[in-house]
Amino acid sequence: RVVDVGTGGGFPGLPLAICRPDLAFALVDSRKKKIDVVEACADAASATNARAIAGRAPQDVAPQTFDLVLRRSVKNMPEFFRTVAPLLDDSGRAGPLGGVLYIKGGDLEEELSVEPRAEWPLADLLGGSVETDKVALSFSAADVLRCAAEGS
C-alpha cells in the first residue's frame, strides 16, 4: 500500500503504479482539477491499482495506513513527517521498503534531523536523461515517527 501525498499531476505515484500493478496506490491532492487529470491518466494507462483522492492528507485518507509514503519537495521534511506520521504503518510488514520516499533538491543539510537510510540522485534513477540536482531520499517508518514525535 503506497500513498503519494500532494501528487499534483500524478508524479511519482502514477508512473510507479503503472510499473507495479501488484501494489495498491492512493494518489492524494487537494486540488480536484489535478485529481481529475490523474484519474483520466490512470484510466488511459489501465492502472486499476491507482485510486485518486481529492482531499488532504492525513485527514481525508486516515484511518487507512500505508507501507510507503511518497512526496515531491514542497514542504520541509520535519513538517511533512509530522503530517504523514498518522498514515504510516509501522508494523514492519513492509520490510526494508516501508517508510517515506522523499524527492528533494537543493541544500538538504538544514532540513535533515535524521539521516536517510538511502539516497539516490534522481538523474541516475531516470537513466541520465534529465539534468537535475534532486535526490530521492528513503527514510524508515521508525525514523519518521520518531522525528514526528520529537517535533524536529
Side-chain angles (χ1 to χ4, degrees), residues 26-47:
L27 310 175
V28 182
D29 201 285
S30 62
R31 293 159 296 190
K32 175 77 168 102
K33 202 180 248 189
K34 296 212 177 212
I35 287 300
D36 291 342
V37 171
V38 170
E39 285 178 328
C41 291
D43 288 345
S46 299

Side-chain angles (χ1 to χ4, degrees), residues 96-108:
L97 297 180
V100 169
L101 183 65
Y102 199 88
I103 298 172
K104 185 84 173 150
D107 184 17
L108 303 171

Side-chain angles (χ1 to χ4, degrees), residues 14-120:
L14 189 54
L16 291 173
I18 293 166
C19 292
R20 293 296 307 266
D22 56 316
L23 299 177
F25 285 79
L27 310 175
V28 182
D29 201 285
S30 62
R31 293 159 296 190
K32 175 77 168 102
K33 202 180 248 189
K34 296 212 177 212
I35 287 300
D36 291 342
V37 171
V38 170
E39 285 178 328
C41 291
D43 288 345
S46 299
T48 58
N49 59 324
R51 180 173 53 107
I53 300 170
R56 295 191 175 275
Q59 58 269 33
D60 295 323
V61 183
Q64 185 175 2
T65 59
F66 298 87
D67 303 310
L68 182 63
V69 176
L70 307 173
R71 176 68 175 189
R72 285 177 295 131
S73 58
V74 175
K75 275 189 172 181
N76 70 52
M77 280 185 271
E79 183 180 339
F80 178 68
F81 288 169
R82 286 188 295 278
T83 299
V84 300
L87 297 176
L88 274 172
D89 179 350
D90 63 343
S91 69
R93 84 179 175 93
L97 297 180
V100 169
L101 183 65
Y102 199 88
I103 298 172
K104 185 84 173 150
D107 184 17
L108 303 171
E109 294 301 317
E110 292 178 20
E111 284 191 44
L112 292 176
S113 57
V114 63
E115 285 293 315
R117 64 179 165 196
E119 181 176 328
W120 306 275

Side-chain angles (χ1 to χ4, degrees), residues 111-146:
E111 284 191 44
L112 292 176
S113 57
V114 63
E115 285 293 315
R117 64 179 165 196
E119 181 176 328
W120 306 275
L122 195 56
D124 291 352
L125 292 175
L126 298 173
S129 60
V130 175
E131 286 189 37
T132 179
D133 68 339
K134 294 188 184 307
V135 294
L137 304 166
S138 174
F139 298 91
S140 72
D143 284 343
V144 170
L145 294 171
R146 189 181 78 249

